[in-house]
Every structure is written in C-alpha cells, then in structure tokens.
Short mmCIF file of all heavy atoms in Angstrom, two decimals:
data_model
loop_
_atom_site.label_atom_id
_atom_site.label_comp_id
_atom_site.label_asym_id
_atom_site.label_seq_id
_atom_site.Cartn_x
_atom_site.Cartn_y
_atom_site.Cartn_z
N VAL Q 18 93.80 120.78 91.24
CA VAL Q 18 93.33 121.97 91.95
C VAL Q 18 92.16 121.71 92.85
O VAL Q 18 91.75 122.64 93.59
CB VAL Q 18 92.93 123.07 90.88
CG1 VAL Q 18 94.16 123.48 90.04
CG2 VAL Q 18 91.72 122.62 90.08
N SER Q 19 91.66 120.51 92.88
CA SER Q 19 90.46 120.29 93.69
C SER Q 19 90.76 120.19 95.21
O SER Q 19 89.85 120.35 95.98
CB SER Q 19 89.78 118.97 93.29
OG SER Q 19 90.59 117.86 93.55
N GLY Q 20 91.98 119.97 95.56
CA GLY Q 20 92.34 120.04 96.96
C GLY Q 20 91.79 118.85 97.76
O GLY Q 20 91.03 119.04 98.71
N GLY Q 21 92.17 117.67 97.37
CA GLY Q 21 91.67 116.48 98.01
C GLY Q 21 92.29 116.27 99.39
O GLY Q 21 92.74 117.20 100.03
N PRO Q 22 92.32 115.06 99.90
CA PRO Q 22 92.83 114.81 101.25
C PRO Q 22 94.32 115.24 101.37
O PRO Q 22 95.11 115.14 100.37
CB PRO Q 22 92.70 113.29 101.47
CG PRO Q 22 92.51 112.73 100.04
CD PRO Q 22 91.93 113.82 99.27
N GLN Q 23 94.70 115.68 102.52
CA GLN Q 23 96.07 116.21 102.76
C GLN Q 23 96.99 115.04 103.16
O GLN Q 23 97.64 115.11 104.20
CB GLN Q 23 96.01 117.27 103.81
CG GLN Q 23 95.17 118.52 103.48
CD GLN Q 23 95.77 119.15 102.21
OE1 GLN Q 23 96.94 119.28 102.10
NE2 GLN Q 23 94.94 119.57 101.33
N THR Q 24 97.09 114.05 102.33
CA THR Q 24 98.04 112.93 102.62
C THR Q 24 99.09 112.92 101.53
O THR Q 24 98.82 113.41 100.45
CB THR Q 24 97.27 111.55 102.59
OG1 THR Q 24 96.58 111.39 101.40
CG2 THR Q 24 96.28 111.47 103.78
N THR Q 25 100.19 112.37 101.88
CA THR Q 25 101.26 112.35 100.93
C THR Q 25 101.23 111.01 100.22
O THR Q 25 100.63 110.03 100.66
CB THR Q 25 102.65 112.54 101.63
OG1 THR Q 25 102.79 111.55 102.60
CG2 THR Q 25 102.72 113.98 102.21
N LEU Q 26 101.98 110.94 99.10
CA LEU Q 26 102.03 109.66 98.32
C LEU Q 26 102.82 108.66 99.13
O LEU Q 26 103.92 108.89 99.71
CB LEU Q 26 102.81 109.99 97.00
CG LEU Q 26 102.71 108.97 95.90
CD1 LEU Q 26 101.25 108.75 95.54
CD2 LEU Q 26 103.52 109.41 94.69
N SER Q 27 102.26 107.45 99.24
CA SER Q 27 102.87 106.38 99.97
C SER Q 27 103.10 105.15 99.08
O SER Q 27 102.66 105.10 97.94
CB SER Q 27 101.98 105.99 101.15
OG SER Q 27 100.78 105.35 100.70
N LEU Q 28 103.82 104.21 99.66
CA LEU Q 28 104.04 102.95 98.92
C LEU Q 28 102.75 102.21 98.66
O LEU Q 28 102.60 101.63 97.65
CB LEU Q 28 104.99 102.09 99.78
CG LEU Q 28 105.63 100.90 99.05
CD1 LEU Q 28 106.38 101.36 97.80
CD2 LEU Q 28 106.58 100.12 99.97
N ARG Q 29 101.82 102.31 99.57
CA ARG Q 29 100.41 101.70 99.39
C ARG Q 29 99.75 102.30 98.19
O ARG Q 29 99.11 101.63 97.42
CB ARG Q 29 99.68 101.83 100.69
CG ARG Q 29 98.26 101.19 100.61
CD ARG Q 29 97.62 101.23 101.91
NE ARG Q 29 96.28 100.64 101.81
CZ ARG Q 29 95.19 101.09 102.44
NH1 ARG Q 29 95.27 102.17 103.22
NH2 ARG Q 29 94.05 100.53 102.22
N ASN Q 30 99.83 103.61 98.08
CA ASN Q 30 99.19 104.31 96.92
C ASN Q 30 99.83 103.91 95.60
O ASN Q 30 99.11 103.62 94.65
CB ASN Q 30 99.34 105.86 97.05
CG ASN Q 30 98.71 106.43 98.30
OD1 ASN Q 30 99.29 107.18 99.00
ND2 ASN Q 30 97.46 106.08 98.56
N ALA Q 31 101.14 103.78 95.64
CA ALA Q 31 101.82 103.38 94.41
C ALA Q 31 101.46 101.95 94.05
O ALA Q 31 101.31 101.66 92.88
CB ALA Q 31 103.35 103.50 94.61
N GLY Q 32 101.33 101.10 95.05
CA GLY Q 32 100.89 99.65 94.76
C GLY Q 32 99.47 99.66 94.19
O GLY Q 32 99.25 98.83 93.27
N PHE Q 33 98.62 100.45 94.68
CA PHE Q 33 97.22 100.51 94.23
C PHE Q 33 97.27 100.96 92.73
O PHE Q 33 96.58 100.30 91.91
CB PHE Q 33 96.43 101.47 95.05
CG PHE Q 33 95.01 101.59 94.48
CD1 PHE Q 33 94.03 100.66 94.77
CD2 PHE Q 33 94.65 102.73 93.75
CE1 PHE Q 33 92.74 100.82 94.25
CE2 PHE Q 33 93.43 102.89 93.28
CZ PHE Q 33 92.41 101.91 93.53
N ILE Q 34 98.06 102.00 92.43
CA ILE Q 34 98.09 102.48 91.03
C ILE Q 34 98.73 101.43 90.14
O ILE Q 34 98.24 101.21 89.01
CB ILE Q 34 98.92 103.77 91.01
CG1 ILE Q 34 98.12 104.90 91.66
CG2 ILE Q 34 99.24 104.16 89.56
CD1 ILE Q 34 98.88 106.21 91.87
N MET Q 35 99.70 100.72 90.61
CA MET Q 35 100.32 99.63 89.82
C MET Q 35 99.33 98.53 89.57
O MET Q 35 99.27 97.93 88.48
CB MET Q 35 101.59 99.09 90.53
CG MET Q 35 102.74 100.08 90.55
SD MET Q 35 103.20 100.77 88.92
CE MET Q 35 103.78 99.28 88.12
N GLY Q 36 98.49 98.16 90.58
CA GLY Q 36 97.45 97.15 90.39
C GLY Q 36 96.45 97.57 89.37
O GLY Q 36 96.02 96.79 88.51
N VAL Q 37 95.99 98.81 89.40
CA VAL Q 37 95.03 99.30 88.42
C VAL Q 37 95.65 99.32 87.05
O VAL Q 37 95.04 98.92 86.07
CB VAL Q 37 94.50 100.71 88.80
CG1 VAL Q 37 93.76 101.37 87.71
CG2 VAL Q 37 93.70 100.65 90.05
N LEU Q 38 96.95 99.70 86.91
CA LEU Q 38 97.57 99.67 85.66
C LEU Q 38 97.69 98.27 85.09
O LEU Q 38 97.57 98.03 83.91
CB LEU Q 38 99.03 100.33 85.74
CG LEU Q 38 99.01 101.88 85.87
CD1 LEU Q 38 100.48 102.36 86.09
CD2 LEU Q 38 98.41 102.53 84.64
N MET Q 39 97.97 97.33 85.98
CA MET Q 39 97.99 95.92 85.53
C MET Q 39 96.61 95.44 85.00
O MET Q 39 96.52 94.80 83.99
CB MET Q 39 98.46 94.95 86.64
CG MET Q 39 99.88 95.17 86.99
SD MET Q 39 101.00 94.85 85.56
CE MET Q 39 100.68 93.13 85.22
N LEU Q 40 95.54 95.80 85.64
CA LEU Q 40 94.23 95.57 85.20
C LEU Q 40 94.04 96.16 83.81
O LEU Q 40 93.41 95.47 82.88
CB LEU Q 40 93.14 96.01 86.16
CG LEU Q 40 92.95 95.28 87.43
CD1 LEU Q 40 91.99 96.00 88.38
CD2 LEU Q 40 92.53 93.88 87.16
N LEU Q 41 94.44 97.36 83.63
CA LEU Q 41 94.27 98.02 82.35
C LEU Q 41 95.07 97.35 81.25
O LEU Q 41 94.66 97.16 80.12
CB LEU Q 41 94.68 99.49 82.45
CG LEU Q 41 93.80 100.41 83.32
CD1 LEU Q 41 94.36 101.79 83.42
CD2 LEU Q 41 92.36 100.46 82.82
N PHE Q 42 96.27 96.93 81.54
CA PHE Q 42 97.13 96.24 80.54
C PHE Q 42 96.53 94.90 80.16
O PHE Q 42 96.48 94.54 78.99
CB PHE Q 42 98.58 96.03 81.06
CG PHE Q 42 99.40 97.29 80.97
CD1 PHE Q 42 100.07 97.72 82.12
CD2 PHE Q 42 99.50 98.01 79.82
CE1 PHE Q 42 100.81 98.90 82.04
CE2 PHE Q 42 100.26 99.17 79.72
CZ PHE Q 42 100.92 99.60 80.84
N VAL Q 43 95.98 94.20 81.12
CA VAL Q 43 95.33 92.89 80.85
C VAL Q 43 94.09 93.11 79.97
O VAL Q 43 93.83 92.44 78.99
CB VAL Q 43 94.91 92.13 82.16
CG1 VAL Q 43 94.01 90.95 81.85
CG2 VAL Q 43 96.17 91.69 82.83
N SER Q 44 93.29 94.12 80.30
CA SER Q 44 92.10 94.49 79.52
C SER Q 44 92.49 94.89 78.08
O SER Q 44 91.87 94.51 77.13
CB SER Q 44 91.37 95.64 80.18
OG SER Q 44 90.87 95.20 81.45
N LEU Q 45 93.54 95.70 77.98
CA LEU Q 45 93.97 96.07 76.60
C LEU Q 45 94.52 94.94 75.87
O LEU Q 45 94.39 94.83 74.60
CB LEU Q 45 95.03 97.20 76.74
CG LEU Q 45 94.51 98.56 77.20
CD1 LEU Q 45 95.67 99.54 77.45
CD2 LEU Q 45 93.53 99.17 76.17
N GLY Q 46 95.18 93.97 76.56
CA GLY Q 46 95.63 92.72 75.89
C GLY Q 46 94.41 91.87 75.41
O GLY Q 46 94.50 91.40 74.23
N LEU Q 47 93.40 91.81 76.15
CA LEU Q 47 92.15 91.14 75.70
C LEU Q 47 91.57 91.84 74.51
O LEU Q 47 91.11 91.27 73.52
CB LEU Q 47 91.10 91.11 76.78
CG LEU Q 47 91.20 90.05 77.87
CD1 LEU Q 47 90.19 90.24 78.96
CD2 LEU Q 47 91.05 88.67 77.23
N MET Q 48 91.64 93.20 74.53
CA MET Q 48 91.08 93.97 73.40
C MET Q 48 91.93 93.76 72.13
O MET Q 48 91.40 93.60 71.10
CB MET Q 48 91.11 95.44 73.71
CG MET Q 48 90.44 96.36 72.75
SD MET Q 48 90.43 98.11 73.25
CE MET Q 48 89.09 98.08 74.50
N ARG Q 49 93.21 93.63 72.31
CA ARG Q 49 94.15 93.47 71.13
C ARG Q 49 94.06 92.09 70.55
O ARG Q 49 94.03 91.91 69.35
CB ARG Q 49 95.56 93.87 71.56
CG ARG Q 49 96.66 93.47 70.58
CD ARG Q 49 96.50 94.19 69.21
NE ARG Q 49 97.55 93.92 68.31
CZ ARG Q 49 97.58 92.81 67.51
NH1 ARG Q 49 96.60 91.95 67.53
NH2 ARG Q 49 98.53 92.68 66.66
N TRP Q 50 94.13 91.07 71.43
CA TRP Q 50 94.31 89.73 70.94
C TRP Q 50 92.99 88.89 71.06
O TRP Q 50 93.01 87.75 70.60
CB TRP Q 50 95.44 88.99 71.66
CG TRP Q 50 96.74 89.57 71.23
CD1 TRP Q 50 97.33 89.45 70.03
CD2 TRP Q 50 97.62 90.38 72.04
NE1 TRP Q 50 98.55 90.11 70.01
CE2 TRP Q 50 98.73 90.68 71.22
CE3 TRP Q 50 97.61 90.84 73.33
CZ2 TRP Q 50 99.82 91.45 71.69
CZ3 TRP Q 50 98.65 91.58 73.78
CH2 TRP Q 50 99.76 91.90 72.95
N GLY Q 51 91.94 89.37 71.69
CA GLY Q 51 90.75 88.65 71.82
C GLY Q 51 90.08 88.30 70.46
O GLY Q 51 89.66 87.10 70.31
N GLY Q 52 90.01 89.21 69.61
CA GLY Q 52 89.42 88.94 68.24
C GLY Q 52 90.22 87.89 67.49
O GLY Q 52 89.63 86.92 67.02
#
C-alpha cells in the first residue's frame, strides 16, 4: 500500500531477489550445520 516506484517487475529484479534468497539459504545453512 505504500505506493513505491511505478516500475514493473523485471528479470533484473527477479535475479536480485534470487541472489538475496541464496544469501539467506547459505546463512541458514551456516546456522544449521555450523555448530
């Protein structure tokens, strides 16, 4: 509802989100198996 920029979803946006998700998965892997 905040009404951010008027751009549509692009392949670049999806790639950025996938990159952030990969960072999160690696971090969660460290959390799970680090100990």
Side-chain angles (χ1 to χ4, degrees):
V18 299
S19 66
Q23 298 298 318
T24 57
T25 57
L26 195 59
S27 69
L28 193 57
R29 183 174 178 218
N30 300 131
F33 176 81
I34 290 171
M35 293 305 294
V37 168
L38 286 175
M39 289 303 297
L40 287 174
L41 293 176
F42 284 127
V43 168
S44 299
L45 290 173
L47 280 173
M48 188 177 283
R49 168 62 178 85
W50 289 292

